[in-house]
Amino acid sequence: MDQHLKASPKAKKEEHVEEEPTSSKKSTNPTPLSWGFKTKKIRITKIPNHFQAQKAENILILVAFSIGLGSMWRFPYLCHQNGGGSFLLVYLILLLLVGIPLLYMEMIIGEWLCVDNIRAWKQLVPWLSGLGYCSMLACVLVSLYNSVLISWSLIYLGQSFVNPPPWSYCPVVGNVSLIDLSCLRTVPHQHFWYHTTLQASNQMEEGVEVLVLNITLCLLATWTFLCVIMIVRIKISALIQIFSIFFLYVLLLCFFLRSLFLQGAMASLRRLVTTELSSLLSVDMWRQAGGHVIYSLGLGMGTIITFSSSQNRGDNYIKLAAFMAAANLVTSLLSTSIIFLVLGFWTTTSGSSCVEKNVSNLIRMIGEGVLPQTSWLPKDIIHRPPQEYLNWVGQLPRNLQKEVVHLSLPCSILVQEKVMESPGLAYVIFSQVVSLFPGSSFWAIMFFMVLVITGLFTMIMLLEGIVLPLQNNIPTFTKYPKLVPVVVCLGGLLGSLIFTSRPGSYMVLLLDDHLVPMVLVTIVMFQNLSLAWVYGIRRFRAEMFGQLGRLVWAPFTFLWSYVTLPTLLTLFIIYFLNLYHREPLNYIAWNNSMGQEVKQPYQKIVLSWVTFLSILALLPIPVPTLYHWWYLDDHIICEIVEEPSSSKKTETGFNVANQWPAHSQRRLTFRAQDKSQTLLLGKIPGEAFFLSSLNPVGKMGTGSGLPIPESLEPMTLAASDLDFHSTGQK
């Protein structure tokens, strides 16, 4: 994705559509549409490619983006929270009816206009030109906490070089003689996540001012590495992409096969493929499934439009969108299957079963002389409540206590209804899975290294969606393009420091579950509205055929008009009501004394911050609309009521004719000369003057159309704007 990479000699030169200059004193005579909205004519110019690469590399980039952290980190815990199979069914429905059609829409817009996300919406619908800036702000929000996810992966990668990995046993606290007995209340892998990695607080309000050192250092390394890549424009080779994607699937497949043989694993896997009809009525499940469809495919972030703007014409984006969604789905299902298998193993081996295994293991160690006879267990300890076993361990001498805890099996002494529901579920489960293999350190290094690379792929795509539009649309950044990555990465580092605090994981959940999905759903809803009903589906299909030589697939145009837009509007209403409902929202927190996760209510100040950030992210949408309504409408009306015989009017007419888009230069015929002439004379004053000034001895147009002067031969009328159509088309 090198910005300065030159196209190969065989590569077809790309074109993009650039907005015509707007004068404050002279209208560009926009085309009237329904509801009083107006869109400007556009013309074709040439720009360099930013994502220039071979077709195979482009597919790899999209696949790497689609199988990012959303598939392996976000989907599993959402599926676990919402009952497994029911959530999966709802997700599949929304993926087919909403996800793939909207993904294709963004791809085809990028291929058609060949400009970045900001300029694309400026040219399609100037009244809603702020959509591009909203997408950029959404990318900023997603990048902030995605960088923290990479930092968590780096921590696990660094700990993987210890043999055995430290998450497979209960750690020593403070010195060699003090053991944290709370580790026995849960599995060591979950204890390592909350106590060692996050150092999590009991509530969101506790310890915000204290930064966790290891997460902060990894975050600094992440943003420094990303800044170097963006400045130097290092291109990640196709070999690295193939290795990371292929090796990731190999690892996931190995983990899946190993997890199948765990005790109680299949019982939990059945929950993933079983659908309860009563749970389908859960509005919250539909909200989370719809938000994840938008999030996982990168819709509303502008990256897909910007990426598609520089690709070669003629790509089959229907197949590409379906392939990208399929890769996302396969990765999500494989990761979720592994997690459900391990959850079944935890549920089966916890409580009395865990105590029984530990007692048998300790008796064997005493018989072999590994433990002294003084560590002999009380009689009938197996038949007593699990808490009795914890009390016995707590009464042992410290040196003996350390040995007993160290030799205890990695299972939970206490029974928990739901072992884990927080966003850290994937990190805890995969650290458990790699511990099941011989040479667990090697497997851990390989897996978390691939996880870091995958996260970096996602971050690079997100940053491209921020950096490139800024370089193209801000004059200062256009002069100094390398200043943009520095500013963006420095701002990203400072903004993401809040997630390195002790309650940082709770704030990640807040943004990921409430703020970001609601913002993305709103952006995509306005994008769908702009294309389908403001710009117009029929006009859009005609433009696609005129420039790309093919029609947009008819079922997609139907879905954009009558399915995706109502669905997005419904999702937006659900998100809004969920956030401002009378009942307080809850989040999953870690209780140190109980040794398990508990639900805590959000404070009102937290929801106020969500409201402020959502308004801030969506503020660019109404600003251009109010600007055009306040300044441009009066100006257009003044030009319409002006006398056509004035010199100023004559000049306006010729300017409109000279600025007709080049992509409309195709052979056109009128349905009926009298009808079309009457319609043209009454539609736009500039066009009326143009028809009245035609030279009858000029060069004749095709069919029965009006004669066109020699000087105006390249200029034709857009078939989608007026009441005529191309020769040979119905």
Side-chain angles (χ1 to χ4, degrees):
M1 296 184 291
D2 190 350
Q3 182 178 2
H4 304 292
L5 189 63
K6 296 182 179 179
S8 60
K10 296 182 180 180
K12 185 178 179 180
K13 293 183 178 179
E14 294 296 322
E15 296 178 339
H16 88 298
V17 184
E18 195 175 74
E19 184 182 352
E20 290 186 348
T22 303
S23 173
S24 60
K25 297 183 179 179
K26 185 180 297 183
S27 171
T28 55
N29 209 354
T31 304
L33 295 175
S34 59
W35 308 336
F37 289 103
K38 300 174 176 63
T39 57
K40 295 182 180 179
K41 295 292 185 177
I42 44 184
R43 56 187 175 85
I44 298 177
T45 59
K46 302 185 185 299
I47 61 169
N49 288 337
H50 300 292
F51 292 95
Q52 183 65 37
Q54 300 297 326
K55 185 175 181 179
E57 294 182 30
N58 295 335
I59 297 176
L60 290 175
I61 292 173
L62 289 177
V63 170
F65 183 64
S66 65
I67 66 172
L69 297 174
S71 301
M72 301 181 58
W73 164 75
R74 196 173 191 273
F75 185 89
Y77 88 81
L78 290 177
C79 192
H80 176 50
Q81 282 182 354
N82 293 279
S86 302
F87 179 85
L88 180 60
L89 177 61
V90 173
Y91 176 79
L92 287 174
I93 294 174
L94 294 178
L95 181 66
L96 294 175
L97 296 181
V98 178
I100 296 179
L102 292 177
L103 180 61
Y104 174 73
M105 181 187 76
E106 291 199 1
M107 286 182 173
I108 202 69
I109 288 176
E111 182 193 25
W112 171 37
L113 298 181
C114 297
V115 291
D116 59 70
N117 179 61
I118 291 180
R119 288 189 287 180
W121 295 107
K122 280 185 178 180
Q123 294 169 1
L124 280 177
V125 186
W127 283 76
L128 295 173
S129 59
L131 284 173
Y133 293 98
C134 289
S135 298
M136 188 178 65
L137 293 176
C139 274
V140 171
L141 292 175
V142 176
S143 300
L144 291 181
Y145 70 87
N146 266 17
S147 61
V148 181
L149 303 182
I150 299 176
S151 302
W152 295 345
S153 302
L154 284 174
I155 292 175
Y156 273 91
L157 178 61
Q159 297 287 349
S160 301
F161 290 91
V162 180
N163 191 22
W167 53 74
S168 58
Y169 55 87
C170 290
V172 177
V173 179
N175 53 63
V176 295
S177 61
L178 184 61
I179 295 293
D180 186 3
L181 294 180
S182 64
C183 179
L184 297 179
R185 297 176 178 270
T186 181
V187 291
H189 309 84
Q190 189 179 22
H191 185 273
F192 177 85
W193 166 251
Y194 279 110
H195 286 261
T196 304
T197 304
L198 300 180
Q199 301 178 24
S201 59
N202 291 329
Q203 293 180 351
M204 182 178 289
E205 296 76 21
E206 295 179 5
V208 180
E209 69 281 354
V210 179
L211 300 183
V212 180
L213 181 60
N214 55 352
I215 303 179
T216 305
L217 293 178
C218 291
L219 184 70
L220 177 61
T222 300
W223 281 108
T224 302
F225 181 75
L226 289 171
C227 186
V228 172
I229 289 182
M230 300 301 294
I231 293 176
V232 184
R233 309 299 299 177
I234 299 175
K235 181 183 178 183
I236 301 177
S237 64
L239 184 62
I240 297 178
Q241 298 177 34
I242 294 174
F243 168 78
S244 61
I245 296 173
F246 177 76
F247 196 64
L248 174 63
Y249 281 113
V250 171
L251 289 175
L252 291 178
L253 186 59
C254 292
F255 293 166
F256 175 75
L257 295 176
R258 177 64 183 90
S259 302
L260 283 175
F261 298 96
L262 295 176
Q263 180 183 354
M266 295 304 298
S268 182
L269 188 61
R270 293 190 189 99
R271 190 166 66 97
L272 181 61
V273 296
T274 303
T275 302
E276 298 180 3
L277 297 179
S278 59
S279 61
L280 295 178
L281 301 177
S282 173
V283 176
D284 194 62
M285 182 177 63
W286 284 86
R287 173 187 67 87
Q288 291 185 320
H292 185 71
V293 168
I294 303 297
Y295 176 90
S296 62
L297 296 179
L299 301 176
M301 301 181 192
T303 54
I304 300 298
I305 294 179
T306 304
F307 177 83
S308 304
S309 64
S310 61
Q311 306 312 306
N312 293 331
R313 300 294 175 85
D315 291 343
N316 192 331
Y317 281 106
I318 296 180
K319 292 183 178 179
L320 189 56
F323 182 76
M324 183 176 172
N328 182 289
L329 179 62
V330 170
T331 310
S332 300
L333 289 177
L334 194 55
S335 302
T336 307
S337 300
I338 297 170
I339 288 175
F340 270 69
L341 290 172
V342 177
L343 286 175
F345 170 70
W346 282 357
T347 304
T348 305
T349 58
S350 63
S352 299
S353 177
C354 182
V355 173
E356 182 178 353
K357 290 183 178 180
N358 275 321
V359 169
S360 301
N361 187 48
L362 292 177
I363 292 176
R364 180 175 57 84
M365 293 295 178
I366 294 174
E368 295 175 354
V370 177
L371 292 176
Q373 294 293 328
T374 55
S375 59
W376 197 261
L377 288 86
K379 295 182 179 180
D380 298 331
I381 190 68
I382 296 179
H383 304 291
R384 298 180 184 178
Q387 186 63 40
E388 295 288 334
Y389 177 81
L390 291 176
N391 295 336
W392 171 77
V393 174
Q395 295 173 357
L396 293 174
R398 288 188 175 180
N399 58 340
L400 187 59
Q401 186 183 97
K402 175 188 174 183
E403 295 184 26
V404 170
V405 173
H406 185 71
L407 294 174
S408 297
L409 298 176
C411 56
S412 177
I413 300 300
L414 301 180
V415 179
Q416 302 178 20
E417 295 181 1
K418 288 190 176 182
V419 181
M420 193 172 182
E421 292 185 284
S422 68
L425 177 65
Y427 290 90
V428 176
I429 293 293
F430 284 116
S431 63
Q432 164 80 75
V433 173
V434 297
S435 302
L436 301 174
F437 287 85
S440 56
S441 293
F442 169 78
W443 291 93
I445 292 172
M446 291 294 100
F447 176 75
F448 288 109
M449 181 179 65
V450 173
L451 197 63
V452 169
I453 295 175
T454 305
L456 290 175
F457 279 153
T458 304
M459 282 294 295
I460 290 173
M461 285 286 289
L462 291 174
L463 292 181
E464 289 285 1
I466 302 171
V467 171
L468 293 179
L470 288 178
Q471 290 175 338
N472 294 335
N473 295 276
I474 307 298
T476 303
F477 292 149
T478 303
K479 295 179 181 178
Y480 307 99
K482 295 195 175 184
L483 180 63
V484 184
V486 176
V487 174
V488 170
C489 292
L490 181 60
L493 173 62
L494 296 177
S496 55
L497 283 177
I498 186 65
F499 303 113
T500 65
S501 61
R502 294 184 60 199
S505 61
Y506 310 148
M507 297 180 185
V508 169
L509 177 62
L510 176 66
L511 264 69
D512 183 71
D513 192 31
H514 298 286
L515 175 61
V516 169
M518 183 173 66
V519 170
L520 291 179
V521 167
T522 307
I523 293 173
V524 176
M525 179 180 66
F526 276 100
Q527 288 181 352
N528 195 169
L529 175 68
S530 301
L531 183 68
W533 294 101
V534 179
Y535 193 84
I537 284 294
R538 296 180 62 184
R539 180 183 181 188
F540 177 69
R541 293 191 72 196
E543 295 289 349
M544 290 299 97
F545 183 80
Q547 185 168 348
L548 304 180
R550 63 179 184 273
L551 287 173
V552 180
W553 198 33
F556 278 172
T557 59
F558 174 81
L559 292 175
W560 294 340
S561 301
Y562 304 107
V563 177
T564 58
L565 187 57
T567 304
L568 291 171
L569 180 60
T570 304
L571 286 175
F572 171 76
I573 295 174
I574 294 174
Y575 267 103
F576 183 82
L577 295 179
N578 176 74
L579 190 61
Y580 302 104
H581 196 259
R582 292 182 178 180
E583 298 180 0
L585 295 178
N586 298 319
Y587 65 96
I588 304 298
W590 177 254
N591 189 297
N592 289 322
S593 59
M594 298 174 59
Q596 62 182 6
E597 293 180 341
V598 295
K599 288 187 177 182
Q600 296 284 357
Y602 283 115
Q603 299 296 324
K604 292 184 178 180
I605 185 64
V606 175
L607 299 181
S608 300
W609 275 104
V610 173
T611 303
F612 171 75
L613 292 176
S614 60
I615 293 176
L616 185 65
L618 298 174
L619 189 61
I621 293 180
V623 170
T625 304
L626 295 176
Y627 173 83
H628 281 265
W629 174 78
W630 184 261
Y631 288 101
L632 298 185
D633 270 9
D634 293 339
H635 171 61
I636 294 173
I637 293 173
C638 292
E639 288 190 351
I640 293 177
V641 300
E642 216 173 347
E643 289 295 331
S645 59
S646 65
S647 59
K648 185 175 180 180
K649 185 62 187 179
T650 304
E651 182 182 356
T652 303
F654 277 106
N655 284 339
V656 171
N658 288 325
Q659 293 176 358
W660 283 335
H663 59 74
S664 298
Q665 297 176 11
R666 53 187 184 268
R667 298 166 63 89
L668 304 174
T669 60
F670 293 98
R671 292 178 179 174
Q673 182 174 351
D674 296 338
K675 177 182 177 181
S676 60
Q677 186 172 357
T678 303
L679 186 134
L680 288 173
L681 290 173
K683 190 173 183 181
I684 300 176
E687 294 174 0
F689 173 79
F690 168 69
L691 290 177
S692 63
S693 62
L694 291 177
N695 187 358
V697 297
K699 188 173 180 178
M700 297 295 294
T702 59
S704 59
L706 294 174
I708 301 177
E710 188 73 26
S711 59
L712 298 178
E713 178 186 355
M715 299 173 296
T716 55
L717 301 178
S720 55
D721 297 340
L722 306 178
D723 195 10
F724 54 83
H725 50 92
S726 303
T727 305
Q729 295 185 31
K730 293 183 180 181

